[in-house]
Amino acid sequence: MSDRYQHMQEAWGIERNPFPAEAINQGDEPYNPDVFPDELQKLYSRLIYGGAMDRRGFSFLWSKGANNEDTGMGKTAMLRQSAKEMNRDFGETVLTEAGINSARLNEHRAMAAYASFNTTTVTGVYPIFFAAVEFLADPQTGMDGVSILDILRDRIRQENGIEETDSDGLRDAIRHARRKLGATLPPLREDTIDAYCNSSPGEFADFLAEVTPTSRIRNGLAYFDFALTIAAAAGIRHVFVLVDQLEDLATTQTVTKAKRTREVGRLRDILAEMAPFAGRVHAIFTFHVRASEALEEMWRANRLPSYDAEDPANENSIVVLRGIQNVEQVRTLLVTYLDKERTDGETGQLLPFEENALPILLERSGGRPGILLTEAHKLFDRAADLERPKIDGLFAADILGLSGIARARSFRKGATTDSIDARAIDELLK
Amino acid sequence: MIESFPMEGLTSQGRDTIPRVTHVSYFYSVLEGIATGQCFDELRLRLRQLGNELSRRSGGNASTARIADSYTFWSPTADSISELMRLGLVERRPLPSKRVNVDAHRDATYALTLPGQLIIEQSRGSESLFRGALTPLLINQHPYLSTLRRVLAEEPLLIPEYTEDELKEFKQAGDSWTRELGEDAANRMKRSMSLAKVSSESVTTQIRESLGRRFSGGAEPTAKDILDTAADALIVATLEARQVRYDAITFNILMSWGRQLFIFDESRYVHGMPGRTIWSTADVEGPEQHERVTRRGLSRYGDQVAQQLATAYREIADAIATDGGAPGSLYPYLEIFKVRALAAFRLKVNVSLVDRVIAEIADRDRTAPFRLELQLGMANWPSSEAPFRLGSRRYYVILIKPEGDEL
């Protein structure tokens, strides 16, 4: 057998397997807004434009799959993409496409930070705000290798005519912005101002890396307060915090229920009541059924805004991802990944996939893009190992264990309920 | 090993003997075995295998033998054959009545009667057809079963049930926890059964007598022992409130039969019913000994079930929304077992019929004026409620929303 990579290059013109082996978004995957155009448009118009105009602190990005699976639906990818799109020109494209009057655009400049709860280090509200600052300080999640906070620093200097060497001038501009945010607000952390005003691009991220886990838990909000002030000094009114994995806050067993309830209460304080955050900071939380069940009690106890995805009254604060519905979307998604690794650049071709493999991938994945991509990874690998010229429907069905929609459907129905009970219904309860 | 001793009692219709065989499948399996000429020991092994299979299928809830030896399952085997003889399906001949006698019967074979041969032919290898044919025979043979069927046809039964913590609260609330319990249980029965003739005193007496019989002087029962005894006493008290007299074990076996024959059903989670709720799911018509059983099936009740699902969902969701001080979700995910129990109870159909309708709507084989979503959720599924499966998957929560624009 020849080298699999040689086959990928010679037969398909592709450097390596372009699909991820795991259904977890790492942040550097290609993204094509045409896979979920309607959902992305709703996210921009309802949650970002609407959130900014209505000064809404809580919005929700739900996922509900066709086969009732709720993970791997593309929420994380969509949030990361939204953050990127927002930060590219501080909301100009997103808000304009969503319909903002150009005369009002400068009043509503916006930026976004993606942050995710987890079960080990980010288990509370203050750490999640610290994680948001890390995102803004990280050159890898910024624009062209420059972090958002570094871009903002240049913007403050530019708008206030401050020389690059004038750290005192930068400091004064930040303090002036702070006073405009609120005359009685507590002062910003001196060490943070020093680090920011005296650092070169990328160095502020190093400063944050030195912050101890304990300090992240205790002072995470103070760091975020600093970032918000920097944004204000740069003329950015709105900061969107895109919060993933909120259910980890509710289900982490090492955190007591009382503490978890208190953390949910903190969300209310920060996003709805506390200056300078209320009205300027807008959180968009990812949600699915298990998360909603885990959080229901704490959410109600703290009288937080409803996240009910079915209530028409919540239409403006919720977007629901229902997964990939048709073969067109499958094609767009696959081509996006394939083109990224084409040796001859983008072609818009499906090769090595054939059209009749697409329904198999759609059925097998239940419409979940994350799962669909990992299944594509398997097919791609296997076909390369076997030196197949193409990946067709039969091959896909063979490798993935299905032979298309018809078989999948009958498989599902065939085992409906306990077999004796099922027969009894057919024979006794017909 | 399942110990099995016939239990005798008295109803208005006279004495009856209910074998300690909870699975109707045992009757079918034994009859099939006899038809193929299997001897007692082969029938015993056949039931042992079936018992293990039923246990596996129910997730370990069904009784299985703790000790496996050459006597395992001898008693249910003897009871099952004995019942088939009583029903006139197998020719009468002696059976082992004690473990020590089993060896003398290992090679014994049995013969089907003409009705026995007919029922095997009519079943055509289908256990559910056998269950259908067995139902009138059991009703005719067992006055306890026919009495229970009649009582349920008049009105559902509500057996109050309590937790250990609730009993603890009764103990802390007053001088006599049995009186507190008796009063609460009697009130629940009266609220839920218009035909109940019951008083706090009669329930209290029943509880006290049961505890006295079970725990003689000096005994130190655990909280669970006391709870189990009180639960059995409340079954007897509920039956007496409806003029039926027999013990809790007999009642539970009859309930098990009724559910497997699809003529009764029950749930502990019927919204608004504070306890174990039991209802009839079939109509029995015709003269005595020639009754015709008509189950409430899919073709007659399918559309009503679909309609009732939406109503039950809304009723429970509204109750949750007004309970708790803060507004809840308009369309919450509710435990499937609660929604289906209320729908089944309202229409007096089997829970499994409701499951089938849910599955049909989910699979789009049945149209309904609403969108139905099934999800895994995080619900704790109680062991008393049969799991809901669609294909090879289990689902725990359900959402029902009128058709319209999606968010």
Side-chain angles (χ1 to χ4, degrees):
Chain A
M1 181 183 291
S2 72
D3 181 70
R4 60 188 350 215
Y5 298 103
Q6 192 182 335
H7 182 76
M8 288 179 197
Q9 288 158 18
E10 290 177 358
W12 303 335
I14 291 173
E15 284 286 337
R16 61 188 183 94
N17 192 331
F19 303 105
E22 292 165 352
I24 299 169
N25 186 278
Q26 306 291 344
D28 57 352
E29 292 85 352
Y31 188 89
N32 188 336
D34 291 336
V35 178
F36 293 117
D38 292 345
E39 290 85 346
L40 197 62
Q41 189 270 330
K42 281 179 184 171
L43 189 144
Y44 288 166
S45 61
R46 291 179 183 177
L47 309 194
I48 293 176
Y49 178 39
M53 298 306 286
D54 297 345
R55 301 185 169 203
R56 194 190 310 124
F58 294 81
S59 299
F60 308 95
L61 178 62
W62 268 82
S63 63
K64 291 186 171 194
N67 286 339
N68 305 300
E69 291 93 351
D70 46 22
T71 54
M73 297 288 292
K75 295 190 296 294
T76 302
M78 187 174 278
L79 283 188
R80 284 181 184 275
Q81 174 63 19
S82 302
K84 204 172 184 177
E85 198 61 17
M86 292 267 284
N87 293 338
R88 189 158 63 86
D89 52 12
F90 295 110
E92 183 169 341
T93 307
V94 170
L95 291 171
T96 304
E97 279 182 13
I100 196 169
N101 183 328
S102 58
R104 305 200 65 190
L105 178 63
N106 274 338
E107 293 170 42
H108 292 284
R109 288 281 180 184
M111 64 185 214
Y114 169 86
S116 178
F117 280 97
N118 60 42
T119 56
T120 51
T121 53
V122 186
T123 59
V125 170
Y126 291 173
I128 200 78
F129 280 110
F130 186 86
V133 181
E134 283 187 300
F135 179 91
L136 295 171
D138 187 346
Q140 289 183 23
T141 51
M143 303 310 300
D144 302 323
V146 182
S147 79
I148 303 304
L149 287 179
D150 285 339
I151 294 171
L152 290 180
R153 184 169 44 212
D154 287 346
R155 197 176 156 106
I156 298 168
R157 282 176 177 149
Q158 201 174 355
E159 289 189 0
N160 292 277
I162 301 167
E163 293 293 322
E164 202 168 316
T165 51
D166 184 4
S167 61
D168 287 343
L170 183 61
R171 193 185 298 261
D172 288 345
I174 294 168
R175 288 201 171 119
H176 178 66
R178 181 72 174 169
R179 276 194 298 278
K180 278 177 75 178
L181 278 177
T184 58
L185 289 176
L188 296 172
R189 291 176 64 95
E190 277 301 325
D191 61 340
T192 314
I193 298 179
D194 284 345
Y196 187 70
C197 293
N198 296 311
S199 61
S200 303
E203 287 180 2
F204 190 66
D206 298 338
F207 164 76
L208 289 179
E210 296 293 319
V211 177
T212 65
T214 309
S215 185
R216 291 169 190 226
I217 293 168
R218 287 186 186 156
N219 307 314
L221 189 63
Y223 287 98
F224 183 77
D225 196 359
F226 171 79
L228 181 71
T229 305
I230 295 299
I236 312 296
R237 180 184 167 83
H238 302 283
V239 177
F240 284 81
V241 183
L242 314 178
V243 182
D244 213 349
Q245 296 290 119
L246 183 61
E247 69 271 23
D248 284 345
L249 174 65
T251 55
T252 302
Q253 295 302 315
T254 50
V255 181
T256 64
K257 189 177 176 189
K259 190 179 169 210
R260 281 182 267 151
T261 305
R262 185 193 67 198
E263 292 295 305
V264 171
R266 276 182 174 161
L267 282 176
R268 178 191 174 84
D269 294 343
I270 296 164
L271 296 172
E273 293 172 0
M274 192 188 290
F277 309 109
R280 287 179 172 272
V281 179
H282 316 276
I284 299 176
F285 298 97
T286 59
F287 252 76
H288 48 65
V289 176
R290 281 174 294 120
S292 75
E293 285 190 28
L295 288 158
E296 167 86 16
E297 192 183 338
M298 296 169 213
W299 212 261
R300 291 181 77 188
N302 284 290
R303 292 175 289 115
L304 291 173
S306 167
Y307 51 68
D308 184 352
E310 305 297 338
D311 187 345
N314 297 336
E315 185 175 283
N316 290 324
S317 60
I318 287 175
V319 171
V320 182
L321 296 186
R322 297 192 187 273
I324 292 177
Q325 309 284 324
N326 57 54
V327 168
E328 281 300 317
Q329 289 171 292
V330 179
R331 186 185 302 106
T332 306
L333 184 63
L334 294 186
V335 167
T336 303
Y337 275 74
L338 289 164
D339 272 353
K340 191 188 165 202
E341 299 295 338
R342 295 260 184 227
T343 49
D344 296 335
E346 296 181 7
T347 65
Q349 302 286 311
L350 254 183
L351 182 75
F353 289 92
E354 292 211 325
E355 283 289 331
N356 58 10
L358 307 189
I360 308 288
L361 278 166
L362 178 58
E363 180 64 21
R364 186 71 178 80
S365 65
R368 294 186 290 173
I371 307 300
L372 193 147
L373 290 169
T374 58
E375 301 290 14
H377 178 99
K378 279 185 215 165
L379 290 179
F380 196 92
D381 249 11
R382 196 76 194 112
D385 280 343
L386 299 173
E387 297 183 22
R388 289 182 68 92
K390 299 239 173 110
I391 298 172
D392 59 18
L394 278 175
F395 179 74
D398 187 37
I399 297 296
L400 301 179
L402 282 177
S403 62
I405 292 169
R407 181 166 156 195
R409 194 166 164 76
S410 62
F411 168 77
R412 189 176 179 201
K413 284 166 66 66
T416 298
T417 68
D418 176 78
S419 55
I420 289 182
D421 273 3
R423 282 196 74 173
I425 289 171
D426 290 337
E427 293 172 349
L428 292 181
L429 300 175
K430 58 192 169 189
Chain B
M1 177 183 293
I2 299 172
E3 286 303 329
S4 164
F5 300 101
M7 191 69 171
E8 298 203 341
L10 190 69
T11 66
S12 55
Q13 289 180 279
R15 279 191 180 280
D16 193 5
T17 303
I18 302 297
R20 291 298 188 254
V21 178
T22 49
H23 299 294
V24 172
S25 298
Y26 286 10
F27 299 139
Y28 179 64
S29 183
V30 166
L31 198 68
E32 265 197 326
I34 290 172
T36 57
Q38 288 186 320
C39 64
F40 182 87
D41 215 42
E42 288 169 324
L43 295 172
R44 181 184 66 78
L45 291 171
R46 188 184 177 98
L47 281 200
R48 187 173 150 183
Q49 194 178 357
L50 177 61
N52 289 334
E53 170 60 20
L54 290 173
S55 175
R56 187 191 59 72
R57 220 185 290 159
S58 68
N61 287 334
S63 318
T64 48
R66 284 190 295 273
I67 302 167
D69 60 17
S70 58
Y71 295 90
T72 305
F73 262 79
W74 78 267
S75 181
T77 307
D79 279 350
S80 298
I81 300 170
S82 172
E83 178 64 14
L84 293 171
M85 289 174 176
R86 200 176 294 121
L87 294 172
L89 302 177
V90 172
E91 299 282 1
R92 287 189 180 271
R93 64 164 292 177
L95 286 162
S97 57
K98 293 177 185 167
R99 193 174 190 270
V100 293
N101 297 334
V102 169
D103 288 340
H105 291 262
R106 286 194 191 277
D107 297 328
T109 54
Y110 308 89
L112 296 184
T113 60
L114 189 59
Q117 290 168 25
L118 274 176
I119 208 169
I120 282 286
E121 274 171 31
Q122 286 167 1
S123 301
R124 302 190 304 272
S126 160
E127 183 176 333
S128 55
L129 288 179
F130 170 78
R131 290 186 196 188
L134 184 71
T135 307
L137 298 180
L138 286 172
I139 291 173
N140 286 332
Q141 182 60 39
H142 292 290
Y144 282 7
L145 184 61
S146 59
T147 302
L148 183 59
R149 189 207 59 73
R150 180 182 49 74
V151 164
L152 290 175
E154 290 167 356
E155 189 182 42
L157 276 177
L158 183 282
I159 301 170
E161 289 192 327
Y162 299 86
T163 63
E164 283 182 25
D165 285 340
E166 285 169 325
L167 289 197
K168 211 179 282 176
E169 281 172 26
F170 285 132
K171 283 177 184 170
Q172 289 163 354
D175 300 337
S176 166
W177 71 270
T178 50
R179 191 172 60 232
E180 298 279 343
L181 173 61
E183 191 174 323
D184 189 85
N187 284 338
R188 289 193 194 186
M189 289 182 210
K190 278 188 265 193
R191 275 205 312 272
S192 307
M193 297 185 290
S194 63
L195 299 175
K197 290 179 181 160
V198 66
S199 67
S200 303
E201 292 73 26
S202 65
V203 180
T204 306
T205 303
Q206 186 59 248
I207 295 166
R208 286 177 178 165
E209 284 180 1
S210 296
L211 290 168
R213 272 197 304 272
R214 171 94 191 267
F215 309 113
S216 53
E220 290 183 8
T222 63
K224 184 174 184 310
D225 290 337
I226 292 173
L227 180 69
D228 288 347
T229 308
D232 283 354
L234 289 173
I235 289 176
V236 175
T238 306
L239 292 173
E240 285 196 350
R242 301 289 299 275
Q243 292 83 53
V244 180
R245 288 187 186 81
Y246 44 73
D247 64 290
I249 298 174
T250 299
F251 171 77
N252 285 330
I253 289 174
L254 293 176
M255 268 314 301
S256 182
W257 287 3
R259 291 181 76 174
Q260 292 167 63
L261 299 171
F262 298 95
I263 57 173
F264 312 148
D265 216 334
E266 67 173 300
S267 173
R268 290 172 166 84
Y269 298 91
V270 176
H271 181 67
M273 297 292 279
R276 181 179 172 191
T277 307
I278 296 146
W279 61 93
S280 167
T281 63
D283 299 311
V284 179
E285 293 159 332
E288 210 169 305
Q289 302 299 314
H290 294 91
E291 286 98 342
R292 198 161 47 84
V293 179
T294 311
R295 293 171 180 81
R296 295 175 195 129
L298 200 59
S299 53
R300 263 176 67 209
Y301 282 83
D303 289 344
Q304 290 182 57
V305 169
Q307 216 167 14
Q308 187 58 234
L309 270 171
T311 308
Y313 171 85
R314 196 65 260 154
E315 195 172 322
I316 298 171
D318 287 347
I320 291 170
T322 54
D323 179 35
S329 298
L330 189 59
Y331 296 100
Y333 286 92
L334 301 178
E335 290 99 335
I336 294 172
F337 62 83
K338 288 184 181 170
V339 176
R340 74 178 183 191
L342 184 56
F345 173 72
R346 286 272 165 75
L347 291 172
K348 303 295 179 288
V349 297
N350 284 99
V351 164
S352 45
L353 187 80
V354 180
D355 278 357
R356 169 61 72 93
V357 173
I358 294 173
E360 287 182 352
I361 296 170
D363 273 344
R364 302 199 175 135
D365 289 339
R366 176 180 289 274
T367 53
F370 52 77
R371 179 167 63 76
L372 176 151
E373 263 186 42
L374 301 169
Q375 294 272 359
L376 280 177
M378 296 181 70
N380 291 318
W381 195 276
S383 59
S384 66
E385 307 299 303
F388 176 84
R389 290 194 185 92
L390 190 60
S392 56
R393 299 175 186 205
R394 284 192 184 206
Y395 292 95
Y396 299 103
V397 293
I398 190 171
L399 178 152
I400 294 174
K401 186 184 179 188
E403 287 288 0
D405 292 342
E406 305 303 344
L407 293 187

